Amino acid sequence: MKQTNWYKDAVIYQIYPRSFCDGNGDGLGDIPGIISKLDYLKDLGVNCVWLSPVYDSPQEDNGYDISNYRDIYKPFGTLDDFKKMLDEMHKRGIRLIMDLVVNHTSSEHEWFKSAISDPKSPYRDYYIIKKGRKNGKKPPNNWSGFFGEKAWERIGDSEDYYLHLFAKGQPDLNWENEKVREEVKDILRYWLDMGVDGFRCDVITLISKDQRFKNVGPTIALAGKKYYVNGPRLHEFLHELYVDVYQNYDCMTVGETVLSTLDDARKLVEPERQELSMIFNFDHTDVDNHMGVKYFLRKFNVKRLKKVVDKWQHGLFGKGWNSLFIENHDQRRSVGRFGTDDTKYRIESACMLGATYFFLQGTPFIYQGQEIGMTNGDFESINDVKDVEAHNIYNLANKVKILKPIINKSLLQVSRDNARTPMQWDNSEYAGFSTVEPWLKINKNKCCINAKESIEYPDSIYHFYQKLIAFRKGNEVIKDGEYIDLLKSNSKIFAYKRKLDDKEIIVVSNFTKKEVKLPNIKGLDKFEITLSNYAKHSLVLKPYETRVYKNY
Ligand code: TEU
């Protein structure tokens, strides 16, 4: 089937189902809730949704632990609800991409239950099960995983262990086994045949493990990553999925590629290699931490951000396609981050960040609530957060003395639950999200930060996002133009140009809460301002002011 590359013209809205809208009054978001908000998404202007997992799951990691890939988690609805949602989205010109979580399953999946209960099970080899060292007293090697735990769990009192790079309830699949790959292809076809338009591929760069399962020397975190990130057969496995499945549908894939470098990314997205349509790189989410560890917070500096953006914009130009995002369900909220302010200048800040990333080359993603400037959760203690990652790290910090003060200080601030508080639809008791107490604490600021208010107020962040989306639509300069950083060494302003033949767009953003003199940008007097978060403009940029100029 002809691939139309529709994703290059998409603006994708991410829905985290348990926190979006509760349609049946049980405190948990669900599919009927999503259906009731589709007109809201259409009015915003997005034309694609990425839906975080809705499959059957014990929810140890909020659905990223799947126990049945062909059914829906009951509290979220039924398959019929899902089909209705898909149909209603398509009717509104909105495509749907699903989350594909196939590095691991849930430990409640039938395959895993069979694999561990019977050493002769045909499913034993679906997982990575190895004999421990010292007659089973020590795990097969010293690898550790993403949630601050050892990567191996002993199977009962046997000598065997299974590998889990995330929580214990998320055993890694053995992609060396051809049967596993065939199962994955069948799952893909099942959803594509139902009409879904593509997949966001969870931790896809972890699927191939170095089969020597070697020990590694001391490391701060993620011991063994050189053996399990971008493993030896990664590209071969992805190409196989493309050839056997993706190329038969007009679909797209976006890989979540933690720890990938630009060189890795090129290999993943160069169209002629036939692997993925695009990837999420996380370099910009690491500009405010040390050594890529989010708990080791570091003061933000816009020059570092510009450097990362420049690298990726040039690095993939003409070679592959970028994804653009500032939030997702694993990141804390963007407003209040990246040098911005989530109190006095919340609206200015949110609009400025929006304009700065929206006109880069690539497909923009908006995470639910970002379009109304939702802020981090107002958590007071670890008891307010539910995320398995936060609790595992908290327990680890309590065991490791030197980590304790660092983690205690940053845990609530960087917890993934900051992005997972219920969507604030209005000012009612449960924020219009539910009619009962929700699964996670609603932020008190629902009183003034909510979708209803944002829709009513003409100068809101929501209406600014509508304009960002409308301006991007069909704009060839934004889609295909080259990227030029205009003020590389300026430590307050992010300014870039997009250029296609003689058509040019310039974005100028003040990343500080102070007024800053507009620097001299050659030829700017011939441009006109087409979008801004301030009504009046002078030779001084106001706090968090952003201006989008064009010369045509
Ligand atoms: O995330 C992968 C991942 O690397 C994150 O766990 C990341 O390390 C962490 O959030 C940083 O704080 C994906 C999903 O997006 C995440 O929600 C899942 O928990 C994880 O995979 C396991 O499926």
Side-chain angles (χ1 to χ4, degrees):
M1 177 183 275
K2 192 176 165 339
Q3 306 281 308
T4 63
N5 295 341
W6 55 265
Y7 60 88
K8 295 191 177 178
D9 296 303
V11 175
I12 305 183
Y13 188 92
Q14 184 191 351
I15 292 181
Y16 195 66
R18 56 166 47 227
S19 303
F20 190 61
C21 182
D22 174 12
N24 66 353
D26 62 357
L28 200 64
D30 49 40
I31 293 175
I34 297 174
I35 297 174
S36 73
K37 297 295 182 189
L38 292 180
D39 286 334
Y40 169 85
L41 297 184
K42 187 171 159 43
D43 290 346
L44 179 61
V46 299
N47 54 9
C48 183
V49 161
W50 150 25
L51 184 62
S52 278
V54 289
Y55 314 92
D56 211 359
S57 154
Q59 304 284 319
E60 180 172 351
D61 186 18
N62 293 354
Y64 284 88
D65 48 327
I66 299 172
S67 51
N68 182 350
Y69 287 91
R70 291 183 174 75
D71 207 352
I72 304 294
Y73 175 54
K74 286 204 179 57
F76 286 171
T78 61
L79 254 186
D80 282 338
D81 292 330
F82 178 86
K83 287 179 187 156
K84 181 166 175 226
M85 175 186 72
L86 181 59
D87 192 43
E88 292 294 326
M89 284 181 174
H90 284 165
K91 272 191 210 153
R92 289 168 177 78
I94 297 173
R95 287 183 160 94
L96 175 66
I97 64 171
M98 305 272 284
D99 226 300
L100 177 74
V101 190
V102 287
N103 171 68
H104 44 267
T105 69
S106 158
S107 53
E108 294 297 308
H109 195 291
E110 290 303 323
W111 301 336
F112 189 72
K113 289 204 261 182
S114 165
I116 58 161
S117 59
D118 171 10
K120 297 215 170 56
S121 159
Y123 294 108
R124 188 91 173 170
D125 196 34
Y126 271 39
Y127 294 89
I128 301 172
I129 296 179
K130 304 260 167 237
K131 212 170 154 193
R133 292 168 291 169
K134 305 231 158 110
N135 296 330
K137 285 198 194 73
K138 282 182 88 181
N141 64 27
N142 65 353
W143 294 2
S144 63
F146 283 75
F147 291 163
E149 291 181 317
K150 292 258 165 275
W152 297 93
E153 181 69 11
R154 196 167 178 172
I155 303 177
D157 47 17
S158 75
E159 292 187 4
D160 292 337
Y161 288 70
Y162 68 86
L163 182 78
H164 64 96
L165 294 180
F166 292 88
K168 288 194 185 69
Q170 294 169 297
D172 282 53
L173 281 165
N174 175 19
W175 278 68
E176 299 293 315
N177 181 348
E178 197 186 326
K179 286 198 195 119
V180 167
R181 305 202 298 277
E182 291 309 318
E183 298 270 13
V184 170
K185 291 175 206 167
D186 279 347
I187 294 166
L188 294 173
R189 291 186 196 106
Y190 174 84
W191 292 102
L192 288 165
D193 288 339
M194 204 183 290
V196 313
D197 301 285
F199 298 95
R200 173 266 186 190
C201 312
D202 191 61
V203 288
I204 202 68
T205 37
L206 307 183
I207 58 177
S208 162
K209 277 90 180 171
D210 186 319
Q211 294 300 299
R212 293 170 297 168
F213 292 95
K214 280 172 88 173
N215 262 335
V216 283
T219 21
I220 336 174
L222 296 177
K225 67 178 177 197
K226 67 173 174 179
Y227 296 123
Y228 60 68
V229 182
N230 297 314
R233 297 182 70 190
L234 171 68
H235 298 290
E236 175 197 334
F237 292 158
L238 289 175
H239 182 64
E240 185 179 321
L241 295 186
Y242 185 94
V243 171
D244 290 354
V245 184
Y246 300 139
Q247 70 170 351
N248 302 321
Y249 301 84
D250 185 17
C251 66
M252 71 85 112
T253 49
V254 50
E256 189 211 19
T257 55
V258 270
L259 305 169
S260 283
T261 64
L262 182 58
D263 282 337
D264 302 323
R266 287 205 190 106
K267 291 194 193 119
L268 294 163
V269 300
E270 278 171 11
E272 53 286 0
R273 294 176 53 91
Q274 304 187 314
E275 295 186 20
L276 297 169
S277 315
M278 59 180 147
I279 61 144
F280 290 124
N281 94 75
F282 289 88
D283 279 0
H284 60 296
T285 64
D286 282 331
V287 295
D288 52 9
N289 68 42
H290 290 283
M291 295 174 289
V293 181
K294 69 175 178 178
Y295 304 99
F296 301 164
L297 288 170
R298 177 187 194 186
K299 196 171 175 323
F300 175 78
N301 167 338
V302 75
K303 271 163 62 179
R304 272 202 300 274
L305 178 66
K306 290 197 265 191
K307 214 165 148 194
V308 166
V309 169
D310 191 75
K311 173 173 132 193
W312 284 87
Q313 288 288 301
H314 284 290
L316 291 187
F317 187 70
K319 300 190 178 79
W321 194 248
N322 265 302
S323 72
L324 310 169
F325 73 97
I326 52 175
E327 287 187 18
N328 68 31
H329 65 292
D330 293 334
Q331 298 287 325
R332 59 193 191 274
R333 290 291 182 178
S334 59
V335 64
R337 193 180 177 184
F338 304 117
T340 65
D341 172 52
D342 60 3
T343 52
K344 185 169 173 203
Y345 294 114
R346 185 184 63 90
I347 296 182
E348 292 80 355
S349 293
C351 295
M352 184 281 281
L353 286 175
T356 308
Y357 90 102
F358 232 78
F359 301 128
L360 299 170
Q361 187 177 48
T363 299
F365 287 72
I366 301 170
Y367 178 69
Q368 67 184 41
Q370 179 188 325
E371 77 284 11
I372 56 168
M374 275 179 63
T375 62
N376 278 346
D378 48 4
F379 308 127
E380 280 153 25
S381 82
I382 180 78
N383 301 323
D384 285 340
V385 301
K386 305 262 191 279
D387 184 19
V388 56
E389 177 187 76
H391 283 273
N392 284 2
I393 297 287
Y394 180 77
N395 294 338
L396 176 78
N398 280 327
K399 281 185 219 142
V400 185
K401 249 194 178 155
I402 46 163
L403 285 180
K404 200 170 173 178
I406 304 172
I407 289 185
N408 277 352
K409 202 165 157 226
S410 59
L411 188 69
L412 295 183
Q413 198 182 335
V414 303
S415 157
R416 307 194 297 181
D417 278 352
N418 283 307
R420 300 174 181 185
T421 60
M423 177 78 183
Q424 292 164 201
W425 293 103
D426 61 36
N427 182 15
S428 61
E429 187 174 8
Y430 300 117
F433 164 77
S434 179
T435 49
V436 299
E437 180 88 37
W439 73 278
L440 184 67
K441 195 174 160 217
I442 294 178
N443 196 315
K444 284 193 276 300
N445 64 23
K446 65 149 169 60
C447 56
C448 37
I449 303 175
N450 62 65
K452 184 164 179 280
E453 189 267 356
S454 227
I455 291 168
E456 281 163 7
Y457 174 54
D459 287 330
S460 67
I461 302 165
Y462 174 86
H463 291 300
F464 193 79
Y465 265 85
Q466 276 182 323
K467 289 181 202 152
L468 296 177
I469 296 168
F471 184 58
R472 242 198 108 96
K473 213 157 255 177
N475 188 312
E476 297 297 316
V477 186
I478 300 169
K479 186 172 169 186
D480 296 322
E482 83 179 281
Y483 171 87
I484 303 149
D485 184 345
L486 295 175
L487 299 173
K488 267 197 176 116
S489 54
N490 189 306
S491 58
K492 296 179 177 139
I493 300 171
F494 194 153
Y496 64 85
K497 182 191 271 189
R498 301 293 313 281
K499 179 176 169 55
L500 186 70
D501 306 322
D502 54 355
K503 287 189 177 164
E504 296 175 336
I505 290 169
I506 287 179
V507 179
V508 180
S509 295
N510 177 4
F511 267 73
T512 75
K513 54 163 89 54
K514 301 225 168 86
E515 293 195 340
V516 181
K517 197 172 155 283
L518 180 68
N520 190 16
I521 294 173
K522 209 170 143 223
L524 197 63
D525 50 333
K526 297 192 187 68
F527 284 66
E528 65 177 70
I529 296 177
T530 167
L531 246 178
S532 174
N533 53 354
Y534 282 85
K536 293 204 179 102
H537 305 100
S538 69
L539 289 176
V540 168
L541 294 171
K542 306 224 175 51
Y544 301 109
E545 178 167 348
T546 186
R547 300 177 186 176
V548 182
Y549 295 85
K550 66 182 172 88
N551 76 347
Y552 57 93

